Amino acid sequence: MRWGLHPRGPGAAALAAARNLWVPPRLRCRPGWQGTTGRLLVRSVTGASNQLQSSNNGRYRDTVLLPQTSFPMKLLGQQQPDTELEIQQKCGFSELYSWQRERKAKTEFCLHDGPPYANGDPHVGHALNKVITEITSRQRGRQRERGGSGLPDPETMTQAESRGFNPLSHPGAPFEIFLNSFNRERECTSRGEQQAEGEAGSLLSVDLETGTCAHPLTPHKDSPLLPANHVTMTKGTGLVHTAPAHGMEDYSVASQHNLPTDCLVDEDGVFTDVAGPELQNKSVLEEGTDVVIKMLQASKHLLKEEKLVHSYPYDWRTKKPVVIRASKQWFVNITDIKATAKELLKKVKFIPGSALNAMVETMDRRPYWCISRQRVWGVPIPVFHHKTKDEFLINSQTTEHIIKLVEQHGSDVWWTLPPEQLLPEEVLSQVGGPDALEYAPGQDILDIWFDSGTSWSCVLPGTDQRADLYLEGKDQLGGWFQSSLLTSVAARKKAPFKTVVVHGFTLGEKGEKMSKSLGNVIDPDVVINGGQDPNKEPPYGADVLRWWVAESNVFTEVTISPSVLNAARDDISKLRNTLRFLLGNIAGFNPETDSVPVNDMYVIDQYMLHLLQDLANKITDAYKQYDFGKVVRLLRAFYTRELSSFYFSIIKDRLYCENADDPKRRSCQTALAETLDVVVRSVAPILPHLAEEVFQHIPYAKEPKSVFRTGWIRTSSIWKKPGLEEAIESTCAMRDSFLGSIPGKNAAEYKVTLVIEPGLLFEIIEMLQAEETSSTSQLNELMMASQTTLLSQEPRSTTTDVIERKGTFLINLEGGDIREESSYKVIVTPTTKEKCPRCWKYTAESPDALCPRCSEVVSGKSWTS
Ligand SMILES: [Zn+2]
């Protein structure tokens, strides 16, 4: 038996067109339509069959097929995180990645995960990053690699260390490394310096531009007067002293005019011998300042002494003032690399697109890259310094030798081996043998961004590879994204990534920044497992946190608060109920033996498959664009509107009251099983725990498998039947007229007559109901009435007790090639039938008597013929 809409009656052009309805694709989809209003009305219907689930159905209760599942309706309080933990273990979450890698998929997707976090407990911003990473890797289901970094991860470090030298080792590599320039260092105060600056105007004998001034303490020393953009008349006297070794702007002015960068302060913040015997070994912060004042007094150059209060840089960790002083550092000249990098970035996809400009701007602001640091721990820079002269030694021979040693023994060799063993034989003989060696290994280490920035060389095999995706917060535009790009471009003229996804930061409820001092930092562990007071901080579970991330527009700043988390929990709760309905109604269904071929299914069931494949395509696309917010919106609209409010309210009678193996019921179950599969797979990357929990409850699964080990969404192209939209939507339009005429009433207590003028609309509707009047047709199921009569002419006699509504519907087929507007009339009268005690539809002939359908089902006869 088929319900696949067989047009009957006389052939006409319209009929031919109508027949085309059921032939695959071409039509546009019509999101929205009057759908929202129409389907909102559906919710108000108190259809008799809807009450079955909760009613005590008396003596017929056992003959009704109510949903059966052990899938819980709710997980309360601690149950949520507990269940999630259980599922993680049962479904092997921790082994999933190695399982994926073992399968050696032909095309691996490489998400190169960024460096781990430096210190402290993770906060919700970290959770944001990790959730996005997780959703992506679960959806892509293939490869994910963690980046190397300068942080204590022994395995990663070994690789990063030995490879970190590579760019340095290539002769002629485009890294121009040179010594001498600026870096911030040490903490000290410089009260003396400040005062000197404040008094500069009065100390100097002014002769602007070409003039010079005499030094107040050093006889015969002339200092030139120089113009500089950073000095203005609006601040102070318009004259400032310049200390080239103690500030970036001063250094620039001095470089421009070829002035020496003498630094009289050493690493400990005390004056060196060059400052003269009176100042040598005095701390610039403390006694040094007093000595300077005394010297000025003695030379009669001090006009006035007073304390000034002004802003000054402090070290955030030690809370001590900082002295800026010049120190020798290693720099990479990135001018050429930047030019190449900008060209290569044109082929990289940035999400959001604006991140590309932001990255180029940060790169433009950086003239050189300072890659050396003075720390106790890190990857050494393999340079040898002359013990007495200002000379250093590094070339391809020395570097190759160090690389071999590090590969064999690890990077500690730099600190543990004697210098003569760190140099190759050839170099030693050139300098006159080990005994004559006057070079010592340098003490500088590499910037950790250099370490983590070269992680691509370990993660991406071969010289040609680019990772499919780098995904980090916007702070990495000047950090890891950039150091990865610059090292990769320098070493192999390639960007290390094909796509860069950049997310924003998390903010508090009112958009305020989260910080420890404000006390508004949200701990993801508290969100998942709850705080000390479960009333104030309930355990939401990981899925709620994940849903919040997915739903947010992560490309801007993201807010988090209890109300946002509660809304996420409510969303998931509604989804859980939808899934429970699906699971409960596929009890006793075996897809292998009970499935109904698509073209034989009820039109409304086929329509659901049509919507499903459209949903699946859109969701797959949204995941590809990393637009998880869209995935959530699509899913939420589908399970609240299309499923709960619309489809489920229509099909309950068929599911509960027909024979278990009635093809009408099997048709519906076929659609439900497919719906369950698509919805669960769609949501699985975002809510892995819920998805796996559902999979454990699928009644026909012989051996429950993990949703993540059974592939992505599968739909069929034959599900696509855009013409069905015209049938369903036109019927819904007429049903809206019907329901609108009996506000607040039970539609099942009315019979409805549809009068449609002959034409396309009539032909379409006629396919849903072969008989003139029926209480069991597809049309009547959609109308949810006691019975439906379909006419092409006004009925001859009407009773007085009628309500009439008129309307029109525009049929739009073949992408607008076929358009026909038809008018219809809906005539509503109270039914004369009685309520069937089994199905509660108003289709029984007398009170307490079963309706014909129910009496056949109960008596065990097959109702279909
Ligand atoms: Zn009945």
Side-chain angles (χ1 to χ4, degrees):
M1 181 166 183
R2 287 167 71 96
W3 293 282
L5 296 175
H6 297 275
R8 64 187 184 90
L15 185 55
R19 189 177 283 119
N20 282 338
L21 285 179
W22 324 118
V23 178
R26 276 189 308 249
L27 297 188
R28 81 279 174 264
C29 82
R30 291 200 342 195
W33 153 80
Q34 309 105 319
T36 319
T37 6
R39 287 165 201 182
L40 277 173
L41 278 171
V42 172
R43 280 186 214 148
S44 67
V45 177
T46 50
S49 54
N50 288 347
Q51 297 166 12
L52 280 173
Q53 201 166 355
S54 55
S55 70
N56 180 350
N57 232 26
R59 59 195 173 115
Y60 295 108
R61 189 181 170 82
D62 293 343
T63 71
V64 175
L65 298 163
L66 294 178
Q68 281 180 4
T69 180
S70 55
F71 182 78
M73 192 188 292
K74 273 181 185 159
L75 294 178
L76 295 170
Q78 196 55 36
Q79 279 181 328
Q80 182 66 42
D82 288 352
T83 307
E84 289 180 350
L85 270 182
E86 219 172 273
I87 284 166
Q88 284 175 23
Q89 282 156 11
K90 197 171 174 185
C91 301
F93 276 29
S94 58
E95 298 100 55
L96 189 59
Y97 180 53
S98 52
W99 174 85
Q100 284 169 345
R101 293 227 76 185
E102 274 163 27
R103 287 173 66 238
K104 292 192 171 62
K106 269 184 198 160
T107 12
E108 286 198 318
F109 179 88
C110 178
L111 192 176
H112 185 10
D113 201 3
Y117 306 106
N119 46 35
D121 295 328
H123 59 74
V124 77
H126 298 131
L128 176 87
N129 173 266
K130 281 298 141 237
V131 169
I132 306 170
T133 305
E134 247 279 314
I135 293 173
T136 306
S137 55
R138 278 187 185 271
Q139 198 270 326
R140 299 289 176 154
R142 297 183 191 112
Q143 186 186 2
R144 178 177 138 208
E145 292 286 355
R146 161 150 333 264
S149 75
L151 296 158
D153 172 354
E155 205 179 313
T156 323
M157 270 312 290
T158 319
Q159 293 177 324
E161 279 170 347
S162 57
R163 303 297 185 92
F165 289 149
N166 274 345
L168 288 166
S169 68
H170 289 296
F175 268 60
E176 184 192 318
I177 296 173
F178 59 93
L179 271 171
N180 201 4
S181 221
F182 254 97
N183 202 10
R184 285 166 192 231
E185 210 171 73
R186 301 309 268 204
E187 60 272 358
C188 290
T189 192
S190 67
R191 193 152 53 95
E193 190 182 315
Q194 296 311 319
Q195 287 174 350
E197 183 167 335
E199 291 147 18
S202 56
L203 291 174
L204 300 173
S205 64
V206 180
D207 179 10
L208 295 175
E209 283 284 344
T210 54
T212 58
C213 36
H215 195 281
L217 299 176
T218 315
H220 315 302
K221 184 178 178 181
D222 286 341
S223 299
L225 279 167
L226 302 167
N229 291 334
H230 68 280
V231 186
T232 59
M233 287 299 288
T234 55
K235 229 178 177 185
T237 57
L239 283 172
V240 296
H241 89 241
T242 293
H246 298 281
M248 200 60 210
E249 286 160 333
D250 293 9
Y251 176 78
S252 306
V253 173
S255 314
Q256 249 178 325
H257 297 276
N258 294 317
L259 298 181
T261 312
D262 298 326
C263 184
L264 309 186
V265 183
D266 74 5
E267 308 183 328
D268 295 321
V270 300
F271 285 108
T272 63
D273 57 343
V274 187
E278 284 166 286
L279 286 167
Q280 187 180 2
N281 296 330
K282 304 256 180 336
S283 162
V284 296
L285 246 184
E286 292 143 18
E287 48 185 327
T289 303
D290 300 331
V291 175
V292 169
I293 292 169
K294 276 178 198 152
M295 288 168 75
L296 288 169
Q297 273 168 344
S299 67
K300 301 200 181 342
H301 284 104
L302 186 67
L303 302 178
K304 190 182 178 187
E305 181 190 351
E306 68 175 352
K307 289 197 176 177
L308 294 172
V309 177
H310 61 98
S311 67
Y312 192 79
Y314 267 64
D315 175 54
W316 66 271
R317 206 186 287 260
T318 59
K319 317 284 185 220
K320 287 183 176 174
V322 172
V323 159
I324 296 170
R325 64 179 274 279
S327 61
K328 292 200 170 183
Q329 301 293 340
W330 289 96
F331 286 79
V332 177
N333 181 354
I334 56 172
T335 313
D336 292 344
I337 305 171
K338 275 197 294 194
T340 315
K342 283 182 196 172
E343 268 310 298
L344 292 168
L345 283 181
K346 289 178 185 167
K347 288 180 195 153
V348 175
K349 183 175 187 184
F350 276 79
I351 299 173
S354 57
L356 170 62
N357 280 342
M359 178 142 166
V360 170
E361 274 169 29
T362 356
M363 219 157 62
D364 279 339
R365 280 202 297 270
R366 166 186 270 185
Y368 299 106
W369 179 8
C370 177
I371 57 163
S372 53
R373 294 290 184 276
Q374 291 69 49
R375 299 257 168 95
V376 184
W377 190 90
V379 181
I381 296 179
V383 178
F384 298 85
H385 293 263
H386 198 280
K387 283 174 185 165
T388 52
K389 297 179 202 161
D390 191 15
E391 288 174 8
F392 56 89
L393 173 64
I394 179 171
N395 56 42
S396 55
Q397 281 174 323
T398 62
T399 313
E400 292 293 348
H401 186 67
I402 298 296
I403 288 173
K404 274 185 205 141
L405 288 174
V406 169
E407 276 171 356
Q408 284 165 19
H409 311 289
S411 65
D412 267 3
V413 288
W414 185 258
W415 320 110
T416 54
L417 282 189
E420 60 269 22
Q421 287 186 38
L422 291 172
L423 284 167
E425 297 277 329
E426 313 90 275
V427 174
L428 277 178
S429 58
Q430 277 165 25
V431 299
D435 295 337
L437 185 65
E438 295 213 298
Y439 285 94
Q443 299 295 302
D444 292 348
I445 61 151
L446 281 165
D447 175 15
I448 55 158
W449 292 112
F450 192 93
D451 294 358
S452 59
T454 50
S455 58
W456 53 263
S457 69
C458 307
V459 171
L460 308 173
T463 52
D464 224 25
Q465 292 282 328
R466 289 190 295 158
D468 291 286
L469 177 65
Y470 273 46
L471 189 165
E472 289 297 331
K474 62 180 185 181
D475 52 328
Q476 298 305 326
L477 287 169
W480 188 59
F481 289 139
Q482 200 175 121
S483 61
S484 300
L485 175 69
L486 294 174
T487 52
S488 174
V489 169
R492 48 175 211 163
K493 288 202 163 45
K494 261 192 190 1
F497 32 63
K498 292 175 190 164
T499 302
V500 174
V501 170
V502 187
H503 62 76
F505 296 143
T506 44
L507 302 174
E509 191 163 20
K510 288 162 195 151
E512 75 279 13
K513 216 180 144 191
M514 284 193 191
S515 76
K516 278 184 190 165
S517 55
L518 286 174
N520 62 350
V521 174
I522 293 182
D523 180 350
D525 188 56
V526 172
V527 174
I528 294 171
N529 296 308
Q532 288 187 336
D533 180 357
N535 291 323
K536 280 184 190 161
E537 294 171 320
Y540 286 102
D543 274 1
V544 167
L545 190 68
R546 298 174 68 103
W547 184 265
W548 158 72
V549 170
E551 186 190 19
S552 307
N553 178 6
V554 296
F555 305 121
T556 60
E557 313 304 14
V558 180
T559 57
I560 185 165
S561 63
S563 61
V564 172
L565 291 169
N566 287 338
R569 186 173 57 187
D570 291 348
D571 278 349
I572 298 174
S573 170
K574 281 175 200 148
L575 174 59
R576 173 173 273 277
N577 277 324
T578 306
L579 294 165
R580 189 166 184 270
F581 181 90
L582 291 165
L583 283 170
N585 284 295
I586 52 170
F589 176 75
N590 178 354
E592 283 174 24
T593 52
D594 301 332
S595 281
V596 174
V598 177
N599 290 333
D600 295 348
M601 289 166 75
Y602 252 42
V603 170
I604 183 70
D605 302 336
Q606 291 188 42
Y607 176 68
M608 287 318 292
L609 293 186
H610 167 73
L611 293 182
L612 264 190
Q613 60 82 36
D614 184 53
L615 176 79
N617 290 343
K618 284 179 180 158
I619 281 183
T620 306
D621 276 354
Y623 272 119
K624 277 186 193 161
Q625 301 300 319
Y626 307 98
D627 192 349
F628 308 135
K630 190 173 180 185
V631 172
V632 167
R633 290 193 297 278
L634 286 165
L635 271 169
R636 191 166 44 201
F638 189 75
Y639 69 72
T640 55
R641 210 169 59 202
E642 310 295 355
L643 292 180
S644 292
S645 302
F646 177 64
Y647 186 54
F648 291 173
S649 65
I650 290 168
I651 56 174
K652 281 176 184 162
D653 179 71
R654 241 194 306 158
L655 286 169
Y656 301 165
C657 298
E658 298 290 352
N659 268 316
D661 59 354
D662 189 298
K664 290 191 287 292
R665 187 165 176 272
R666 293 304 193 205
S667 163
C668 187
Q669 286 181 312
T670 307
L672 293 181
E674 298 289 8
T675 304
L676 180 70
D677 195 70
V678 170
V679 171
V680 172
R681 286 183 200 282
S682 300
V683 83
I686 297 169
L687 305 177
H689 304 93
L690 180 63
E692 293 289 30
E693 193 188 347
V694 170
F695 253 56
Q696 303 300 311
H697 286 88
I698 293 178
Y700 43 75
K702 288 169 196 129
E703 194 187 319
K705 280 186 179 169
S706 161
V707 62
F708 297 103
R709 295 174 201 227
T710 48
W712 186 234
I713 310 172
R714 285 178 294 265
T715 58
S716 168
S717 57
I718 58 166
W719 292 2
K720 193 166 183 175
K721 294 187 173 175
L724 291 181
E725 288 169 354
E726 303 300 304
I728 300 299
E729 288 176 10
S730 58
T731 308
C732 285
M734 289 183 279
R735 186 177 68 169
D736 288 345
S737 301
F738 163 44
L739 297 178
S741 71
I742 49 160
K745 300 281 173 52
N746 180 359
E749 293 178 36
Y750 292 84
K751 52 185 184 179
V752 63
T753 300
L754 306 175
V755 186
I756 306 171
E757 61 179 343
L760 203 45
L761 180 62
F762 183 85
E763 301 289 350
I764 289 171
I765 300 300
E766 200 184 20
M767 294 178 209
L768 294 165
Q769 179 168 304
E771 309 87 346
E772 190 173 276
T773 297
S774 174
S775 60
T776 57
S777 68
Q778 296 189 51
L779 182 60
N780 191 57
E781 183 187 57
L782 285 162
M783 300 305 291
M784 301 173 93
S786 161
Q787 68 174 49
T788 302
T789 301
L790 178 61
L791 301 172
S792 58
Q793 290 173 2
E794 294 266 353
R796 264 176 232 151
S797 60
T798 47
T799 56
T800 49
D801 197 11
V802 296
I803 310 166
E804 286 189 4
R805 289 287 160 107
K806 285 180 184 170
T808 56
F809 190 85
L810 178 67
I811 300 284
N812 202 340
L813 292 170
E814 310 284 332
D817 287 350
I818 301 173
R819 287 163 67 87
E820 190 181 303
E821 193 171 58
S822 304
S823 57
Y824 61 82
K825 185 191 263 186
V826 178
I827 304 167
V828 182
T829 42
T831 184
T832 51
K833 299 279 165 97
E834 297 293 336
K835 185 176 172 180
C836 167
R838 181 170 177 269
C839 69
W840 289 21
K841 288 174 79 175
Y842 284 78
T843 43
E845 291 301 330
S846 60
D848 295 330
L850 288 176
C851 72
R853 185 272 312 268
C854 286
S855 75
E856 295 221 31
V857 171
V858 169
S859 67
K861 283 184 210 159
S862 172
W863 186 65
T864 54
S865 53

